[in-house]
Amino acid sequence: MIEITELPLDHAAITDSVRSNLAGAVCSFLGTVREMTGERRTAMLEYEAYPEMALKKMAELEAEARRRWPILEAALVHRVGTLSLGEISIVIAVSCPHRHQAIDACRWLIDTFKDVVPVWKKEVWADGTEEWVHPGMNPPGSGGDGLEPPL
Amino acid sequence: MIEITELPLDHAAITDSVRSNLAGAVCSFLGTVREMTGERRTAMLEYEAYPEMALKKMAELEAEARRRWPILEAALVHRVGTLSLGEISIVIAVSCPHRHQAIDACRWLIDTFKDVVPVWKKEVWADGTEEWVHPGMNPPGSGGDGLEPPL
Amino acid sequence: MLAIVRLFAIARERAGRAVIEVELADGANVGDLKAALACEVPSLALLLPTIRIAVNSDYADDNSPIPPGADLAAIPPVSGGCEPGIRR
Amino acid sequence: MLAIVRLFAIARERAGRAVIEVELADGANVGDLKAALACEVPSLALLLPTIRIAVNSDYADDNSPIPPGADLAAIPPVSGGCEPGIRR
């Protein structure tokens, strides 16, 4: 399952979609809207995607993960639009025969997703200001340049 | 949430129980009854626990994980009794501010759970034979001795 | 040839529009497109060093050719998911 | 003193019972208990090298004392969870 949607994510259904009698392990990752970033309080997040390219890159990620691990089923779903505190922005679920395979594949998928899939996040802070979260465009010293997606 | 139960595990409820507005990441691991082990076909699994000690060790695992990672909420639930193919034997769910924290904590919890928590599994093979899965008691060459739980 | 470029996120907001059309010489490459964008939309000039151009939904470097009719997009550094400021 | 030992999994099945009572000298330790179990239940003797004794729900080594009235259990190598034959 590869999907970009404006609807709330049903993590239970997404996790169930990867279960299999051939799997001994399922690993699910949920990204959720966190209220505090250091001392700053978030009011909500806005996610924007380039949907055609995002879906293509997500399918490439799944294919590459399947080359690296014996994945039985995988699901990558990202929500776009305005999300409230605690809501789920992304669900990645993977099933494999054994546990380390499922956990490693899930970790690689979320890490690589965040490097290459064109989805952007805007912080709407509780003080009313807004800020796109663009690694490499943020204040100097905040870290790497985000310019070299590995895929 | 620390629990040993004979009832089917509701992975969605367990995952929801760890969600928090302070968390940016939730990682859930499900152990499920796998049909094939090499060429052998499983009919069902039977799980047995020493419940008092298992609950104590599970609480110790959670406490140790909280020392190692900034865990907001954690849940460890294991089912006992007879499980059919595809059913869930264990759910471990963890929430943290950031994703690697949640994934690393979840991985450590499931690994350490399997080393120290007194829960045993009996394979009931499709050919009618039964076999306790005891690392170190299985045929020579199957690996380590399982004798030194780290906790 | 006419290049139609979609803009996203901070690039869209700075430019004040979601699509830019620029005229390129036939045989132009991605570097040429970025130079044209900087002239056409000065508010993008400072962002361009961090923006990647996608050609037909794949990341392209400055030497990549631009086929006529290609889907083009300006891709600011991505941040899908859930956690700012870590690991980068 | 009387030691009451709970048995689990393969140990329970080999012994044909879930609880064993053995008489120990006062001041006996876990090693003494294992020796007594091997005498009392010969079918356990071959398993005992891989079995750990839990005293009041903690793993104990052979030198650990056995307090009167302690909860005792014979713990075969554990395998909670989901995957045989990996990582061990």
Side-chain angles (χ1 to χ4, degrees):
Chain A
M1 181 194 304
I2 299 280
E3 200 176 326
I4 302 276
T5 176
E6 296 190 7
L7 301 175
L9 300 191
D10 181 346
H11 69 84
I14 296 167
T15 295
D16 280 331
S17 78
V18 306
R19 290 174 60 189
S20 160
N21 282 4
L22 298 177
V26 173
C27 188
S28 291
F29 177 85
L30 283 56
T32 60
V33 178
R34 191 185 55 234
E35 185 171 11
M36 301 307 297
T37 297
E39 300 290 298
R40 299 194 78 179
R41 186 179 300 274
T42 294
M44 64 189 80
L45 290 183
E46 292 178 14
Y47 283 95
E48 175 177 338
Y50 173 11
E52 299 89 336
M53 182 171 171
L55 292 170
K56 179 179 180 184
K57 292 296 158 196
M58 290 159 77
E60 289 175 3
L61 289 193
E62 177 180 345
E64 177 62 23
R66 286 180 178 277
R67 278 188 287 272
R68 297 180 180 215
W69 292 279
I71 292 173
L72 298 160
E73 302 289 343
L76 295 82
V77 185
H78 205 296
R79 184 174 169 195
V80 292
T82 302
L83 275 68
S84 305
L85 298 180
E87 287 197 290
I88 301 170
S89 55
I90 185 170
V91 178
I92 291 182
V94 184
S95 61
C96 289
H98 297 290
R99 71 179 182 279
H100 286 168
Q101 298 159 351
I103 295 170
D104 291 348
C106 188
R107 184 179 166 124
W108 182 87
L109 281 167
I110 179 64
D111 282 351
T112 315
F113 190 111
K114 290 170 72 78
D115 278 343
V116 307
V117 178
V119 177
W120 299 273
K121 170 167 66 176
K122 183 160 73 173
E123 287 273 2
V124 181
W125 301 103
D127 64 13
T129 60
E130 300 186 351
E131 187 176 12
W132 285 103
V133 180
H134 287 309
M137 288 177 158
N138 291 329
S142 63
D145 64 17
L147 292 180
E148 295 299 331
L151 226 75
Chain B
M1 182 193 303
I2 299 280
E3 200 177 326
I4 302 275
T5 176
E6 296 190 7
L7 301 176
L9 300 191
D10 181 346
H11 68 84
I14 296 167
T15 295
D16 280 330
S17 78
V18 306
R19 289 174 59 188
S20 160
N21 282 4
L22 298 177
V26 173
C27 187
S28 291
F29 177 85
L30 283 55
T32 59
V33 178
R34 192 186 55 233
E35 185 170 11
M36 301 307 296
T37 297
E39 300 289 298
R40 299 193 78 180
R41 186 179 299 273
T42 295
M44 63 189 81
L45 290 183
E46 292 178 13
Y47 283 95
E48 175 177 337
Y50 173 12
E52 299 90 336
M53 182 172 173
L55 293 170
K56 179 179 181 183
K57 292 296 157 196
M58 289 159 77
E60 290 175 2
L61 289 193
E62 177 180 345
E64 177 62 24
R66 285 180 178 277
R67 278 189 287 273
R68 297 180 180 215
W69 292 278
I71 292 173
L72 298 161
E73 304 289 343
L76 295 83
V77 186
H78 204 296
R79 184 173 169 197
V80 292
T82 301
L83 275 68
S84 304
L85 298 180
E87 286 198 289
I88 301 169
S89 56
I90 185 170
V91 178
I92 290 182
V94 185
S95 60
C96 288
H98 297 290
R99 70 180 185 278
H100 286 168
Q101 299 159 351
I103 295 169
D104 291 348
C106 188
R107 184 180 167 125
W108 182 86
L109 281 167
I110 179 63
D111 282 351
T112 315
F113 189 110
K114 291 169 70 80
D115 278 343
V116 307
V117 178
V119 177
W120 299 273
K121 169 167 66 176
K122 184 160 73 173
E123 287 272 2
V124 181
W125 300 104
D127 63 12
T129 60
E130 300 186 353
E131 186 176 11
W132 285 101
V133 179
H134 287 309
M137 288 176 156
N138 291 329
S142 63
D145 64 19
L147 291 179
E148 294 299 331
L151 227 75
Chain C
M1 66 180 175
L2 184 68
I4 302 173
V5 184
R6 295 170 70 177
L7 303 178
F8 293 95
I10 197 169
R12 176 178 50 72
E13 287 196 351
R14 291 279 175 88
R17 42 188 160 155
V19 177
I20 295 177
E21 301 188 357
V22 292
E23 190 61 38
L24 299 179
D26 287 350
N29 63 20
V30 165
D32 300 325
L33 171 62
K34 290 176 91 168
L37 285 175
C39 288
E40 182 80 12
V41 193
S43 58
L44 281 185
L46 284 175
L47 287 182
L48 278 169
T50 65
I51 284 179
R52 296 202 75 174
I53 300 296
V55 177
N56 290 329
S57 290
D58 282 317
Y59 292 104
D61 60 30
D62 283 357
N63 298 320
S64 301
I66 298 180
D71 291 324
L72 302 172
I75 310 285
V78 303
S79 181
C82 55
E83 58 193 321
I86 197 171
R87 220 183 63 83
R88 291 176 189 275
Chain D
M1 66 180 176
L2 184 66
I4 303 173
V5 184
R6 295 171 70 176
L7 304 178
F8 293 95
I10 198 170
R12 176 178 52 73
E13 286 196 353
R14 290 281 174 87
R17 43 190 159 152
V19 177
I20 295 177
E21 301 188 358
V22 291
E23 191 62 38
L24 298 179
D26 289 350
N29 63 21
V30 165
D32 300 324
L33 171 62
K34 290 177 93 167
L37 285 174
C39 288
E40 182 80 12
V41 192
S43 57
L44 282 185
L46 284 176
L47 286 183
L48 278 168
T50 64
I51 285 179
R52 297 202 76 174
I53 300 297
V55 177
N56 291 328
S57 291
D58 282 316
Y59 292 104
D61 61 30
D62 283 358
N63 299 320
S64 301
I66 298 180
D71 291 326
L72 301 171
I75 310 287
V78 303
S79 181
C82 55
E83 60 193 319
I86 195 169
R87 220 184 64 83
R88 292 175 189 276

